[in-house]
Amino acid sequence: MWLINSSIGRKVVMSVTGVALILFLTFHCAMNLVALFSGEAYNTICELLGANWYAVVATLGLAALAAIHVIYAFILTAQNRKARGDNRYEVSTTVKGGASAESWASRNMLVLGIIICLGLLLHLFNFWYNMMFAELFPSIHFDAAPADGFGKIINTFSNPLYVVLYVIWIVALWFHLSHGFWSAMHTLGMSGKIWQKRMQVFGIFYVTLLMLGFLAVVLAFAFNCAPSLCCGSSC
C-alpha cells in the first residue's frame, strides 16, 4: 500500500494525523479555558467526558493517532538521515537574502518530538490516570474524585516544578506545530508559492493563539489569579 511503502504516502499519513491532533488540541484548549472562569462548568464537562464507551473509544482513537504520528516521524527521520548520509550536518540551503531555507524547528523536529512525548506522558499521569482511570477502576485509591478536574488543575499547578515543565512543554509544542502545520498543508497540496506563504503565516498565528490559551491556564492557576478562583474578590 502506497501510504505505508512510499515516502510520499508516509508524509501524507504524518500530515493527516498531525492535523487531527491539532484539532484535538483546539478542543482541549477550549475546554481548559472554561476552567479559568468556572470550576463547576469545567467539572460538568469532565463528568460528561468521563469513563463511558464513547470516551474510551475516543481515547483509544487519539492514542492510535498519536502512536502512528510518532512511529512515522521516526521512520521518516531515519529515512532522511540515510538519504543525506554524511551531508546531513552541512549548512542547509539558503534562500534570497541568506536566510536559511530550513527553519530551526524543522531541523530539530525529532528533539522537539521527544520533549513533547515526555510532556504527554507527564500530562497523562497528572490528569488522565487520576480521572478516567479512576472511573474505570474505582476500587483503586486516588487523590481526588474522578470528575474533579478543577481540583486536579489547582493541585497540579500549585507545584512550581510542574509549572516549569508544562511551560517547557508548551514552548516545544509551539515550535513543533508552527512548523508542522504549514508542512502538513504543503504535503496535502497547498504547495504553491502563494499558498505556502499563507499557510506559514496562518499556521504561526493559529498555533500561537492555541499555545497562549494553554499557557494562560497554567500561569493563571500557578499565580492563583484565575477568575474562577477569585470568587468575586480581587486576585
Side-chain angles (χ1 to χ4, degrees), residues 17-59:
T17 55
V19 170
L21 291 171
I22 289 175
L23 291 175
F24 167 72
L25 285 174
T26 301
F27 165 78
H28 196 32
C29 181
M31 175 181 168
N32 285 1
L33 289 174
V34 172
L36 287 178
F37 304 99
S38 172
E40 183 179 354
Y42 183 78
N43 280 345
T44 298
I45 296 173
C46 290
E47 187 174 1
L48 179 66
L49 300 176
N52 44 61
W53 70 267
Y54 54 84
V56 174
V57 170
T59 300

Side-chain angles (χ1 to χ4, degrees), residues 20-218:
L21 291 171
I22 289 175
L23 291 175
F24 167 72
L25 285 174
T26 301
F27 165 78
H28 196 32
C29 181
M31 175 181 168
N32 285 1
L33 289 174
V34 172
L36 287 178
F37 304 99
S38 172
E40 183 179 354
Y42 183 78
N43 280 345
T44 298
I45 296 173
C46 290
E47 187 174 1
L48 179 66
L49 300 176
N52 44 61
W53 70 267
Y54 54 84
V56 174
V57 170
T59 300
L60 292 175
L62 282 169
L65 283 174
I68 292 171
H69 192 77
V70 170
I71 291 169
Y72 272 65
F74 277 102
I75 292 174
L76 286 169
T77 299
Q79 177 182 297
N80 290 338
R81 285 179 174 271
K82 183 178 180 181
R84 291 175 183 174
D86 295 334
N87 295 322
R88 65 177 180 266
Y89 297 112
E90 291 182 359
V91 177
S92 59
T93 304
T94 58
V95 296
K96 185 177 180 180
S100 173
E102 192 175 20
S103 68
W104 180 88
S106 67
R107 296 193 301 270
N108 294 277
M109 288 296 272
L110 182 61
V111 174
L112 290 170
I114 291 173
I115 294 173
I116 291 168
C117 284
L118 292 175
L120 178 60
L121 291 175
L122 175 66
H123 188 62
L124 288 174
F125 172 75
N126 283 334
F127 291 94
W128 183 84
Y129 175 73
N130 285 288
M131 293 174 68
M132 183 178 286
F133 204 82
E135 286 194 57
L136 292 172
F137 301 97
S139 61
I140 302 176
H141 175 72
F142 292 89
D143 59 359
D148 187 17
F150 188 70
K152 288 301 301 177
I153 291 177
I154 295 173
N155 291 337
T156 299
F157 298 126
S158 64
N159 186 328
L161 177 59
Y162 282 147
V163 173
V164 172
L165 291 176
Y166 270 83
V167 169
I168 293 173
W169 187 36
I170 290 169
V171 172
L173 273 169
W174 184 88
F175 277 108
H176 187 83
L177 296 178
S178 61
H179 169 77
F181 183 90
W182 73 260
S183 180
M185 294 300 102
H186 177 85
T187 299
L188 295 176
M190 295 182 182
S191 54
K193 182 180 292 186
I194 295 177
W195 273 109
Q196 180 170 323
K197 187 64 177 178
R198 287 175 179 173
M199 286 300 102
Q200 285 177 321
V201 173
F202 177 76
I204 290 174
F205 176 75
Y206 186 80
V207 169
T208 299
L209 284 181
L210 194 60
M211 293 302 106
L212 284 176
F214 284 114
L215 189 62
V217 174
V218 173

